[in-house]
Amino acid sequence: FLCDAEKDFIVSLASMSAKERIKAIQKLPETMTKKREIRNKVLNEITKQWRHRGAEPSCWTQSVQGAGVSFRRFGNTISEYFHLLQMWHKALKIIGAEFGTSVLSYFVFLRWLLYFNIFSFLINFGFITVPQFLAAEPNNLSFTGLELLTGAGYFQQTVLYYGFYTNATISKIENGPSYNMQLAYIFTVGIYFVICFLILLFSMAKSFCRNFLNPEAYTVRASKLLCTWDFHITNEKAVKLKQKNLSTQIKEDLTEVNREVIDFSVMQRILRLAVHLLAWVACLGAAVAACTGVYFLSINNLKLFMKGHRNYLESQAAMLVLPVVASLLNTLIPFFFSWLGHLERFQTPGQHIYVTITRNIILKMSIVGILCYYWLNVVATSESQCWETLVGQDIYRLVLVDFIFCLLGSFFGEFLRRIIGTTIYVSLGLPEFDIARNVLDLIYAQTLTWIGILFSPLLPGIQMIAFFIVFSVKEVSLLRNCQPPCKVWRTAQMKTSFMFLLFCPSFLGVLSVIGVTVWRLKPSEGCGPFRGLPSMYAAVSEWIRILQSYTASKWVVWIYHNLITSELFFFILSSIVLIVTYLYWQIIQGRKTMTKLLHNQINN
Amino acid sequence: MGNKQTVFTQEQLDAYQDCTFFTRKEILRLFYRYRDLAPQLVPLDYTNKPAVTLPYELIGSMPELKDNPFRQRIAEVFSEHGDGSMTLDDFLDMFSVLSEMAPRDLKAYYAFKIYDFNNDDYICKSDLEKTVNKLTRNELTPEEVSLACEKVIYEADVDNDGKLSLEDFQHMIVRAPDFL
């Protein structure tokens, strides 16, 4: 017996498209038997509706339905195989089960960055390297194994670096289709960065929307109780830890030892402020000192390089000093920061985490910044033969040494620490996986890779291999050496913060460096696809000038002059974006007032 | 397309694919997991829809559930008779809702039912106390548990009736991005 509401529901389901109907049935909070019943009723309703439309013989409708069903089955099989393409699906499930979603978020982030590198490598290889192979010059340098570490020597004359690429228009057949290497190079790199920008922007916006929308304090305690149980965990030890942690939190909440409520006297507040200020000054001082050290070391390096090669081995070793020092600074100074963080007493553990992350990111980005300054101002204007290749080699060495330090960090930080924690100092126990430090290392490595794409097109391929190895090593190390995290970690907020850090100092910084290189710097005379031009961007302006003489491509020229290079267009675009943002903000304010009014209405 | 299997008819598989979030392969894999719990009770041929129910003890011993403090409630919510024993339909339903492909509102609905121990469609104070005890493994004293529950109701109860209805609960979930 159907009641009216159910009948209406079935009729509305029957009128939807197949995909929407399946989604609606899947989302019903009913038992499987009921769902199956509803599904069968809906299918009957659909056949009834077909018959009502009339004039169609039943075998035609049946065959159409049958075709629809088999098409859906085909689509399902395809999506099954597509799921297999998602790498490490099983490993991620195991990590999530044993350690919870906070540690899982690091590995998901690593896999996401890996996808960026795979995409970049594929398009660079396809559009830039493969055509270069057709027009390659012979390489008469010898290969010694040391090149893998230093990136110089034999590799200098290979497709690894900018300097090897030709500036010619490649064509194999006479009067056949030609391939303009200059345009290919600049457009491939440009389009890749535009796509990355859009992907990062949309992911960040989506994540921000979901996770930061309403951190109203009044539901914090209730949601802590009812919403933070991590149903992913199936490991008994992890479950016990989480329970202990939750009970400690509830006890703290009840006794209200929460530092926020305690009133400090004026004297104490000034003292705390002074301590915080001192700590910040110390951190910024350490960062500035590190940057100065790196700068002078690199200037020294350049002088040595320009003076000439004394001993081959010695000069190769000298080239490695800068990356090793940079990585050492990146590894050791954060320990200093965390020691300082323990000295100052923060009001909440959340504040502590955010301040530590901010200081670390300031350190890493300033080291990258000073290196970029050195490359763009000193190396580019030096009298070296091919400064882009030099920069590419520097970045290659930095990436490689950072990778080695990452593996070493895992070895010392987790493996040795476990050995010490279980045999010598048993009170220390097993190490925990340090999520923040590892994620910041990933962001640093990816920033270097993005900067290096212009100077060494195959660098994403190397970083891709490095990330593969890092994932496997970290996964094994995690499962064997670490224990599940004790502290509460607001995963969703952290995920958003990490994506934001990847976008804001890292990617935007990379965009500005690439922008300065393409627009302002003079490419070297003797090598690379842009030799002889006043700037890399001049290739595009040249091309537009050539296009102007063809009538068929006048629209391209029009777009270029009136949309891309015109300031008025960008002004109008920015104003529109600002107006839309303001409108949305007003809508949100209006909705907030509405919610408050409704809330009061329900209460009374 | 795909391997020939003899466990279900094609219509049954289609129905399962339409009603759960699983693909064909996953449904078959889950069937074999279900069967592994009690190979002598579960037949290999489901084409004539045998009425087989596995008792709660077998379900609760699955590695995915055995350490979950709410496993009994989960089994009770999804079981047809409300006592934790499950047919294959209930089994597939349970894992479909617990999988990562289920939307949050569906999970929130079932989470509400799981926390509602006395099945009266409201989470009252005694339900909350039982929840807190399960979450903290009886580490808190009864006074602390009672105080914590009062605070939760005070904060989350929108319509001020002293207990949490489904709407209050969903209202809270929307603001909690960490809900899994």
Side-chain angles (χ1 to χ4, degrees), chain B residues 71-147:
Chain B
R71 58 186 176 282
Q72 177 138 21
R73 275 304 296 164
I74 295 177
E76 283 171 13
V77 162
F78 285 102
S79 96
E80 207 177 301
H81 309 289
D83 61 351
S85 59
M86 298 180 116
T87 65
L88 180 64
D89 280 356
D90 303 330
F91 191 76
L92 286 173
D93 211 12
M94 172 173 79
F95 279 109
S96 169
V97 171
L98 290 179
S99 79
E100 59 196 14
M101 299 162 288
R104 277 172 109 211
D105 338 331
L106 192 60
K107 287 191 200 243
Y109 175 83
Y110 278 104
F112 181 79
K113 284 178 85 173
I114 289 172
Y115 292 143
D116 180 13
F117 280 77
N118 48 11
N119 286 326
D120 61 352
D121 289 336
Y122 285 104
I123 297 184
C124 57
K125 188 150 173 260
S126 64
D127 292 334
L128 266 182
E129 282 176 2
K130 292 206 193 88
T131 308
V132 172
N133 276 325
K134 279 218 192 299
L135 278 176
T136 59
R137 228 167 198 258
N138 301 323
E139 285 215 7
L140 302 176
T141 68
E143 296 84 37
E144 288 171 336
V145 169
S146 172
L147 208 52

Side-chain angles (χ1 to χ4, degrees), chain A residues 311-374:
Chain A
N311 182 353
Y312 184 64
L313 230 66
E314 239 185 58
S315 62
Q316 299 284 353
M319 282 198 261
L320 283 176
V321 171
L322 173 62
V324 168
V325 166
S327 291
L328 267 178
L329 288 173
N330 266 327
T331 318
L332 297 178
I333 297 192
F335 284 123
F336 172 62
F337 287 167
S338 66
W339 174 71
L340 271 181
H342 280 298
L343 284 187
E344 328 170 52
R345 260 158 296 150
F346 287 99
Q347 284 184 336
T348 60
Q351 258 187 6
H352 181 111
I353 293 178
Y354 273 117
V355 167
T356 316
I357 291 181
T358 314
R359 289 177 181 163
N360 281 329
I361 205 85
I362 289 179
L363 171 73
K364 290 190 155 60
M365 288 300 135
S366 38
I367 290 189
V368 172
I370 202 80
L371 282 171
C372 288
Y373 175 77
Y374 158 68

Side-chain angles (χ1 to χ4, degrees), chain A residues 367-439:
Chain A
I367 290 189
V368 172
I370 202 80
L371 282 171
C372 288
Y373 175 77
Y374 158 68
W375 286 323
L376 297 183
N377 279 342
V378 179
V379 179
T381 50
S382 69
E383 297 107 28
S384 58
Q385 226 186 9
C386 198
W387 64 268
E388 291 97 346
T389 306
L390 279 183
V391 175
Q393 286 172 357
D394 263 343
I395 300 184
Y396 173 90
R397 286 190 285 264
L398 277 167
V399 163
L400 200 63
V401 172
D402 184 67
F403 165 62
I404 294 178
F405 265 78
C406 182
L407 295 180
L408 283 179
S410 188
F411 179 75
F412 282 108
E414 289 159 21
F415 178 64
L416 277 187
R417 170 84 171 66
R418 168 179 76 101
I419 305 265
I420 294 177
T422 45
T423 48
I424 308 179
Y425 286 113
V426 192
S427 56
L428 272 182
L430 291 175
E432 269 183 30
F433 189 77
D434 194 345
I435 303 172
R437 182 172 63 87
N438 280 303
V439 170

